[in-house]
Amino acid sequence: MTTNNIKHLFMAFCVGCGTVALTAACSDWDDHYEEPLTQASGQQTLLQAIQQNKDLSDFHEVLSKTMVIRQHRKTNVSYADLLNDGQTFTVFAPVNGSFNKDSVLALLETDKGDSMVVRSFVGNHLSYSLTNNTETPTDFFLLNSKRATVGNGSVLGVDLAEANVKATGGILHVLKGTLPYRPNLYEVMLNDSRYEKIGEQLSSYEEDEFSPSLSVEGDMVDGEQLYVDSVFIERNRLLERVGGIAYEDSSYLMVVPTAAEWQRVWQEAMDMYRYDATVLGGDSLQRLYANSALLGDAIFSRTIQASQKDSVITYDYNKKYPKYHVFYKPFEEGGIFYGATETQYSNGTLYTTDAWPFTPQTTYQREIRCEGEARGVILENTLSTYSTRQHIADSVSENEYLVIMPEKNTSNWTMTFKLTNTLSGTYDICAVILPQTVYDPNKTDLLPCKFQAEINYVDLDGKAQVFDCGKTKFETDPTKVDTVVIAEDFKFPTCNYGQTNTKITVKLKCSILARERDFSREMLLDCIYLRPKKVKSEE
């Protein structure tokens, strides 16, 4: 049998401990051995109890040849050694013939075989908890962190041939079959061929981080601290951003597309996060943000849902921006889970769909508002004075606005504003202008303001570019809140998401001739507003 077939047979999805949570359990392994829990009574060890049962010889052989993995390294301690060492376990031992011993032993001969067997088989039949079979079912965690229940003569639906065998170091239960291994959502993404491309992205963010606080210090050499026992914590930077679907102690809802659909939406997201050539690590940022954008709105923790039939929200939901990260009536027609194939896994429910139920404009290509009153966004101004005023109304963004006044009655002022978090996507770029009646409801001599605009950005090479908005002279409507579109369907060639530089700006320029008496050089600017647009091919 090939290694791939063995891997498929045992659902051996994770290498080592597999997740941050599991690594923490592994790093506590020595503590568990050094401070044994209260032991059950009995004259024989757990290993001896297994050895004395001729129906458990296959399981004993696997235990003897499966080595404990610590910090990604195989130790010289077998699981048989552990069960003979007086430590506290509950063992669920499957009888001979209920599993393919040869396949397991063959898997142990591969490079990562011990880790895979520990995760999917040995760790799936051991528990730190002392757990008896009683009439009242008891919930507990297996060694691999999977949830299980024992009671009324069965464990996870597998009948017990013999129960509650007391031994020094714990309790032995003899199973008529093997316990089912239920992968979690993360393991499915990594190992099910239907989600191969998603799994490749997720696994690429696995990394080990050295933990000085958990490591044992040695001597100082040339001012540098050495360690006699270095401990590393497994992390996944992408999961930390989108949701802990590798954890067994939580429950999630997750929607994913089939392979072809994932490739389409992933490329679409990658196109939205295209950085210019001068951005250090631009390719890595592009991939991280594209993956985060897609998966961040596809994973929902059940613990934060008020009523998932009515709506589901992600961890990024903010009441201040109620149109994002919330999806209503998810199980009804038009909802994000409607029509999807539902599958249960150990830590949640997966909904697989042929058609991605999101668009960039409802998820990651968000509206961008550069508030006029936020003085930190004003980079340059000439021939003007400005101040901020408050006005509490639904029509005024953030209930404040910027008053721009010419230094002299004839001064044509300019003001430049910094834009942040723009994507390499298409927007309508607008200036939202308030009427003078905002501060004086009785004012009657209302005059429009006339202005021009230009957009400054960079191309793929990082070279500065200017769009003059067709040299158009825009006139405001002084009688209403006026959203002036200064550039329609404007496509930024590069993304500036997460950057703190000033590569993307909008300059407004008052443009009134001295002889033009029917205009006002005063402008009440609410905000610069970027309205996301679908690309033409989507319409």
Side-chain angles (χ1 to χ4, degrees), residues 131-140 148-156:
T131 309
N132 283 301
N133 172 56
T134 63
E135 291 183 0
T136 303
T138 301
D139 295 330
F140 63 98
T149 302
V150 59
N152 293 316
S154 70
V155 185
L156 294 178

Side-chain angles (χ1 to χ4, degrees), residues 192-228:
D192 191 315
S193 60
R194 292 173 297 173
Y195 315 113
E196 180 180 5
K197 295 299 182 182
I198 302 175
E200 288 176 356
Q201 296 302 321
L202 285 168
S203 63
S204 68
Y205 292 96
E206 293 177 349
E207 60 184 34
D208 290 340
E209 182 178 273
F210 175 63
S211 174
S213 62
L214 295 177
S215 301
V216 179
E217 293 184 355
D219 298 329
M220 295 287 294
V221 177
D222 295 332
E224 181 179 355
Q225 178 66 63
L226 300 183
Y227 294 86
V228 297

Side-chain angles (χ1 to χ4, degrees), residues 56-326:
L56 301 180
S57 59
D58 287 353
F59 186 61
H60 172 253
E61 186 174 356
V62 170
L63 291 174
S64 300
K65 295 183 178 180
T66 305
M67 301 299 165
V68 174
I69 303 296
R70 187 173 185 276
Q71 298 298 321
H72 305 298
R73 295 191 297 271
K74 183 189 296 188
T75 69
N76 59 2
V77 177
S78 74
Y79 278 86
D81 296 330
L82 295 186
L83 299 183
N84 202 40
D85 191 39
Q87 303 305 311
T88 305
F89 293 95
T90 297
V91 180
F92 300 91
V95 297
N96 296 345
S98 63
F99 64 96
N100 190 327
K101 180 190 71 171
D102 293 337
S103 295
V104 180
L105 296 178
L107 184 55
L108 288 173
E109 296 299 318
T110 65
D111 289 341
K112 299 178 181 179
D114 287 86
S115 298
M116 298 167 72
V117 171
V118 169
R119 176 68 172 163
S120 64
F121 185 71
V122 172
N124 204 49
H125 289 84
L126 303 180
S127 174
Y128 287 136
S129 302
L130 286 175
T131 309
N132 283 301
N133 172 56
T134 63
E135 291 183 0
T136 303
T138 301
D139 295 330
F140 63 98
F141 284 98
L142 294 164
L143 201 65
N144 61 6
S145 297
K146 301 293 181 180
R147 297 173 184 267
T149 302
V150 59
N152 293 316
S154 70
V155 185
L156 294 178
V158 179
D159 290 337
L160 294 171
E162 188 175 0
N164 302 337
V165 178
K166 299 296 189 291
T168 300
I171 302 170
L172 171 66
H173 302 287
V174 180
L175 297 171
K176 293 183 179 180
T178 57
L179 295 182
Y181 181 85
R182 297 180 64 206
N184 60 40
L185 293 168
Y186 184 68
E187 293 168 337
V188 172
M189 292 300 105
L190 264 58
N191 294 276
D192 191 315
S193 60
R194 292 173 297 173
Y195 315 113
E196 180 180 5
K197 295 299 182 182
I198 302 175
E200 288 176 356
Q201 296 302 321
L202 285 168
S203 63
S204 68
Y205 292 96
E206 293 177 349
E207 60 184 34
D208 290 340
E209 182 178 273
F210 175 63
S211 174
S213 62
L214 295 177
S215 301
V216 179
E217 293 184 355
D219 298 329
M220 295 287 294
V221 177
D222 295 332
E224 181 179 355
Q225 178 66 63
L226 300 183
Y227 294 86
V228 297
D229 187 11
S230 299
V231 174
F232 292 81
I233 301 298
E234 289 187 9
R235 297 183 57 189
N236 187 304
R237 286 195 302 143
L238 182 54
L239 287 189
E240 290 170 4
R241 297 175 65 92
V242 302
I245 57 171
Y247 304 148
E248 299 288 350
D249 58 351
S250 299
S251 183
Y252 296 91
L253 306 169
M254 182 177 183
V255 57
V256 296
T258 48
E261 182 70 345
W262 167 261
Q263 189 59 37
R264 181 188 71 80
V265 299
W266 185 78
Q267 188 57 58
E268 180 179 56
M270 288 286 284
D271 290 343
M272 287 282 193
Y273 290 92
R274 192 183 304 277
Y275 289 86
D276 71 77
T278 67
V279 176
L280 184 65
D283 290 345
S284 296
L285 291 175
Q286 177 188 24
R287 194 167 62 87
L288 176 63
Y289 290 142
N291 286 318
S292 301
L294 293 176
L295 295 176
D297 275 320
I299 297 171
F300 308 88
S301 171
R302 281 193 171 99
T303 60
I304 64 172
Q305 310 307 323
S307 175
Q308 62 190 43
K309 288 186 178 180
D310 295 326
S311 65
V312 288
I313 62 174
T314 71
Y315 282 117
D316 290 329
Y317 175 72
N318 187 330
K319 291 182 179 179
K320 189 176 180 180
Y321 306 103
K323 67 184 297 183
Y324 296 106
H325 309 303
V326 57

Side-chain angles (χ1 to χ4, degrees), residues 337-355:
F337 300 138
Y338 182 79
T341 301
E342 177 181 330
T343 311
Q344 298 295 327
Y345 293 103
S346 68
N347 67 343
T349 306
L350 185 67
Y351 296 89
T352 306
T353 177
D354 292 327

